[in-house]
Amino acid sequence: MAQTEKKGGLLRKSSASKKPLKEKVVLMYDEVFTTEDPSKNNPRFWEELFLMKVNLEYLEGKLEALDGEELMKIKDNINCLFQHCIQALGEEHPIRVVNALQTLCALIRGVHQKNKSTSGFDIINMLVGFDKAELCMKNLMESLDTLLCAEGSESLKSLCLKLLLCLVTVTDNISQNTILEYVMINSIFEAILQILSSPLSRREHGYDAVVLLALLVNYRKYESVNPYIVKLSIVDDEATLNFLSYSFLFRQYKDKEEEHQSGFFSALTNMVGSMFIADADEKISVQTNEAILLALYEAVHLNRNFITVLAQSHPEMGLMTTPTSPIPTTPVTPLGTTPPSSDVISSAELPLDADVQTSNLLITFLKYSSIVMQDTKDEHRLHSGKLCLIILTCIAEDQYANAFLHDDNMNFRVNLHRMPMRHRKKAADKNLPCRPLVCAVLDLMVEFIVTHMMKEFPMDLYVRCIQIVHKLLCYQKKCRVRLHYTWRELWSALINLLKFLMSNETVLLAKHNIFTLALMVVNLFNMFITYGDTFLPTPSSYDELYYEIIRMHQNFDNLYSMVLRISTNAGQWKEPASKVTHALVNIRAIINHFNPKIESYAAVNHISQLSEDQVRSISINVRKNLAFNTLSQELLLKEFSTIS
């Protein structure tokens, strides 16, 4: 009770003989919330105010208790308080600066909460006044920029970032936050980059700085020229991009065999926090972080130079962290996102060892994606999974990234998380082969396809997943890259996906256009059939493809029957279903050509069921005589709508 009274500004309750005793700062706040000028009777009022410890709860509660008319009556005093806060930021005394920053947080948050229904211009008028808004906001941004770039207290930098985060996030839709126009005009981009380029500042404030940058980049990004987008897109300094990348790193996955080890690369990623948490049942849970994923997306999407950072290798090896003396921080922290705790990296040089496994940001991101995408029933993880796939789409669209992904001379061992399933054995992680990174991307897509055929079908994620595979195949066809990959796993997953769509036609059609997804899957098969000779590793790969199509021909026959039935009836799905009917021409040609040969061979040799080798031998003998309906190259190789 005593603590509650103190927060409310009461040092002593009222009684019959005594008046209630309040904190001096509370009494001064009460003067601000009157129609009179508080400095009229006390010329040193504002100087004294910023020497008092801020009572955030009382100040915000006072603003919340006022109605619209009452707030308008004290508008002049609110404007005056806001302006004196800005002036106090230039003071040499750190106590004044800290109290001014916290007071600004309370004012911005309180006025916005009180005026959610009003326009952004009304809020600007209430806070600072139209006539002085441009000058005051310019002074505010310049003061914050100076504090962020100075060599001074790290706690002051933390408060500056939290004030900026408060300013950016007070509205649900960032593009409706009109006050951010002044943040656009008076850019702090260079200050943010400076924080990320300093090891000490990055460790202390990197998380807040990255989240702030990601939010500012999204302000009216499609409506007007956003200077933060422009500046982020042209950053080409390798060192700066390297420093920037450290802010996006995710703590690496650690299974039971690795739980007592600590790699150099994973030590760098501690700033983002513990994202992977293993329980006793070996099931991996994820602490989602959409803000960091959004920042990574913006960096990959806007700055093509950042792709080189994704590919830069770092050795993974045991490295102990060394404790250092703690950095003093301010005891009072205003609202804002708090960066996760960080470990300090030993400054000892890394010994060179040819046997040491290397890693990079892309590998870490793939590992993280394999975990975050396993559970899409939770809304946060659904959004995180979507962001992961969008980022992978950006990577799959980039020429340099594709060259790196497919480079035979750059092989990595990537331990993706596989969801525990009853019908398959746990993969032997120790025997993972070293392969080009594109194999890990394809493995991730196959894993997603296989493990998410469920009642709450994530259609959007499946579409993005198939698009990623399509973009990778387009690159392989274009550059004639013969990738040694177990393509049968992909084909089997795609056929099972078609089977699932047909089995749940009624339920899924009530929510989704399943024919769009079916068409994308069928066209992937058409890619292999029509252009497989340019990217499949060996001629026997074609035989494996034909074998899978023939073995699972019943699924393609059922799909044809379903789309033919729907396309011949009037309805909303007639046109998309007819497109699938046309796309199935080549697959049906293979089935209709081979099935009679196989049945004839079985009858002549009195065999009830042919082995795979027997089917493939028939395929080799008759495949050369098979003529295909060459579908439009534009149709098969067209780029799906790119990320914007």
Side-chain angles (χ1 to χ4, degrees), residues 27-50 76-81 83-84 87 132:
L27 294 173
M28 299 184 81
Y29 288 156
D30 289 340
E31 291 186 54
V32 174
F33 284 88
T34 63
T35 56
E36 298 291 331
D37 180 0
S39 62
K40 186 176 180 180
N41 297 322
N42 181 6
R44 296 179 57 83
F45 177 86
W46 300 111
E47 294 179 28
E48 293 176 4
L49 178 63
F50 294 112
D76 290 342
N77 282 356
I78 296 293
N79 292 170
C80 202
L81 176 58
Q83 291 163 19
H84 278 90
Q87 291 176 17
K132 299 179 181 177

Side-chain angles (χ1 to χ4, degrees), residues 450-469:
V450 169
T451 56
H452 289 77
M453 301 178 202
M454 53 193 178
K455 186 177 179 181
E456 294 298 325
F457 189 68
M459 173 63 79
D460 184 35
L461 300 192
Y462 266 96
V463 169
R464 294 182 186 279
C465 179
I466 301 301
Q467 284 179 343
I468 291 168
V469 176

Side-chain angles (χ1 to χ4, degrees), residues 72 75 111 115 118-127 130:
M72 284 302 298
K75 171 185 165 298
V111 171
N115 294 271
T118 61
S119 70
F121 297 106
D122 290 335
I123 291 171
I124 293 172
N125 188 37
M126 180 60 64
L127 278 173
F130 282 135

Side-chain angles (χ1 to χ4, degrees), residues 399-627:
Q399 188 76 8
Y400 174 83
N402 264 312
F404 173 73
L405 289 174
H406 290 85
D407 191 346
D408 254 341
N409 298 315
M410 298 289 288
N411 295 325
F412 298 91
R413 192 174 284 113
V414 184
N415 182 18
L416 298 177
H417 173 69
R418 288 164 61 88
M419 186 183 296
M421 301 181 76
R422 293 180 180 179
H423 65 274
R424 68 180 182 187
K425 295 180 180 179
K426 187 177 185 292
D429 299 336
K430 292 182 179 179
N431 299 322
L432 290 172
C434 282
R435 303 176 297 171
L437 271 181
V438 67
C439 295
V441 178
L442 289 169
D443 284 346
L444 182 60
M445 298 302 101
V446 170
E447 178 69 15
F448 180 83
I449 293 170
V450 169
T451 56
H452 289 77
M453 301 178 202
M454 53 193 178
K455 186 177 179 181
E456 294 298 325
F457 189 68
M459 173 63 79
D460 184 35
L461 300 192
Y462 266 96
V463 169
R464 294 182 186 279
C465 179
I466 301 301
Q467 284 179 343
I468 291 168
V469 176
H470 175 264
K471 291 176 189 296
L472 294 174
L473 291 182
C474 286
Y475 176 84
Q476 292 168 23
K477 188 265 176 188
K478 177 183 176 182
C479 299
R480 295 184 174 270
V481 177
R482 297 190 181 277
L483 183 67
H484 289 272
Y485 181 72
T486 50
W487 291 110
R488 178 178 287 188
E489 292 183 6
L490 174 63
W491 299 330
S492 177
L494 293 173
I495 293 171
N496 286 329
L497 174 58
L498 291 175
K499 183 178 179 181
F500 175 82
L501 295 178
M502 290 182 288
S503 301
N504 298 273
E505 173 194 348
T506 305
V507 175
L508 293 177
L509 271 179
K511 301 178 181 178
H512 312 289
N513 178 5
I514 61 173
F515 302 107
T516 299
L517 181 59
L519 178 63
M520 294 171 68
V521 172
V522 171
N523 276 340
L524 282 184
F525 278 102
N526 284 326
M527 282 275 293
F528 283 103
I529 294 168
T530 310
Y531 301 113
D533 60 324
T534 64
F535 59 84
L536 286 174
T538 61
S540 64
S541 301
Y542 250 127
D543 300 324
E544 290 181 3
L545 171 64
Y546 282 35
Y547 175 75
E548 283 299 312
I549 292 174
I550 296 165
R551 184 175 71 88
M552 305 296 287
H553 72 89
Q554 193 63 52
N555 290 307
F556 292 108
D557 291 340
N558 292 342
L559 176 63
Y560 181 76
S561 299
M562 183 185 82
V563 294
L564 185 64
R565 166 174 51 84
I566 294 175
S567 63
T568 53
N569 297 322
Q572 69 178 117
W573 307 120
K574 180 176 181 177
E575 184 178 348
S578 63
K579 291 180 180 179
V580 181
T581 306
H582 178 65
L584 282 166
V585 169
N586 283 341
I587 294 175
R588 285 177 49 76
I590 293 173
I591 294 170
N592 293 335
H593 186 82
F594 280 98
N595 269 353
K597 307 287 184 184
I598 292 171
E599 291 170 2
S600 173
Y601 180 90
V604 169
N605 294 277
H606 306 287
I607 303 173
S608 59
Q609 187 172 358
L610 273 67
S611 67
E612 179 179 349
D613 290 338
Q614 290 170 323
V615 173
R616 291 177 63 175
S617 67
I618 297 171
S619 155
I620 294 171
N621 292 329
V622 302
R623 177 159 51 86
K624 63 182 72 174
N625 300 319
L626 182 59

Side-chain angles (χ1 to χ4, degrees), residues 149-172:
C149 296
E151 296 292 333
S153 168
E154 295 300 321
S155 60
L156 277 181
K157 292 182 181 180
S158 178
L159 285 174
C160 289
L161 287 170
K162 292 185 191 313
L163 171 59
L164 287 164
L165 284 168
C166 178
L167 188 67
V168 171
T169 58
V170 285
T171 56
D172 294 333

Side-chain angles (χ1 to χ4, degrees), residues 212-467:
L212 176 62
L213 181 58
L215 291 170
L216 290 173
V217 162
N218 280 276
Y219 176 71
R220 296 185 178 176
K221 63 189 299 186
Y222 304 116
E223 302 168 25
S224 59
V225 178
N226 184 321
Y228 292 87
I229 292 178
V230 176
K231 291 182 179 182
L232 181 59
S233 66
I234 61 175
V235 173
D236 60 357
D237 179 68
E238 185 176 349
T240 302
L241 288 172
N242 269 312
F243 292 140
L244 187 61
S245 72
Y246 293 152
S247 305
F248 302 130
L249 302 181
F250 303 88
R251 176 172 296 199
Q252 292 196 31
Y253 164 67
K254 299 177 181 179
D255 58 19
K256 268 196 162 185
E257 289 79 10
E258 298 171 325
E259 63 185 358
H260 297 300
Q261 298 176 356
S262 176
F264 173 70
F265 190 63
S266 59
L268 284 173
T269 69
N270 288 339
M271 181 191 68
V272 184
S274 302
M275 290 193 142
F276 309 101
I277 307 163
D279 60 24
D281 298 325
E282 296 185 4
K283 185 177 180 180
I284 306 298
S285 61
V286 180
Q287 191 175 11
T288 58
N289 198 323
E290 290 90 346
I292 292 298
L293 285 175
L294 177 62
L296 178 58
Y297 159 70
E298 296 295 354
V300 172
H301 173 53
L302 294 175
N303 192 316
R304 292 313 179 194
N305 298 313
F306 190 77
I307 296 293
T308 62
V309 178
L310 289 175
Q312 289 186 357
S313 298
H314 308 272
E316 283 185 330
M317 58 192 301
L319 185 67
M320 299 301 292
T321 60
T322 56
T324 60
S325 57
I327 299 170
T329 57
T330 179
V332 180
T333 303
L335 279 185
T337 52
T338 303
S341 59
S342 57
D343 293 339
V344 181
I345 304 161
S346 170
S347 59
E349 288 189 6
L350 296 174
L352 297 176
D353 187 344
D355 296 327
V356 172
Q357 169 68 14
T358 58
S359 184
N360 54 46
L361 177 59
L362 184 54
I363 291 176
T364 308
F365 174 68
L366 290 174
K367 291 179 181 181
Y368 173 73
S369 298
S370 71
I371 298 176
V372 79
M373 291 195 301
Q374 70 174 312
D375 181 13
T376 58
K377 294 179 182 177
D378 177 79
E379 185 178 2
H380 288 292
R381 292 174 187 178
L382 177 66
H383 294 324
S384 292
K386 182 177 179 179
L387 274 170
C388 288
L389 288 172
I390 291 174
I391 292 167
L392 284 172
T393 303
C394 290
I395 293 170
E397 287 177 347
D398 187 85
Q399 188 76 8
Y400 174 83
N402 264 312
F404 173 73
L405 289 174
H406 290 85
D407 191 346
D408 254 341
N409 298 315
M410 298 289 288
N411 295 325
F412 298 91
R413 192 174 284 113
V414 184
N415 182 18
L416 298 177
H417 173 69
R418 288 164 61 88
M419 186 183 296
M421 301 181 76
R422 293 180 180 179
H423 65 274
R424 68 180 182 187
K425 295 180 180 179
K426 187 177 185 292
D429 299 336
K430 292 182 179 179
N431 299 322
L432 290 172
C434 282
R435 303 176 297 171
L437 271 181
V438 67
C439 295
V441 178
L442 289 169
D443 284 346
L444 182 60
M445 298 302 101
V446 170
E447 178 69 15
F448 180 83
I449 293 170
V450 169
T451 56
H452 289 77
M453 301 178 202
M454 53 193 178
K455 186 177 179 181
E456 294 298 325
F457 189 68
M459 173 63 79
D460 184 35
L461 300 192
Y462 266 96
V463 169
R464 294 182 186 279
C465 179
I466 301 301
Q467 284 179 343

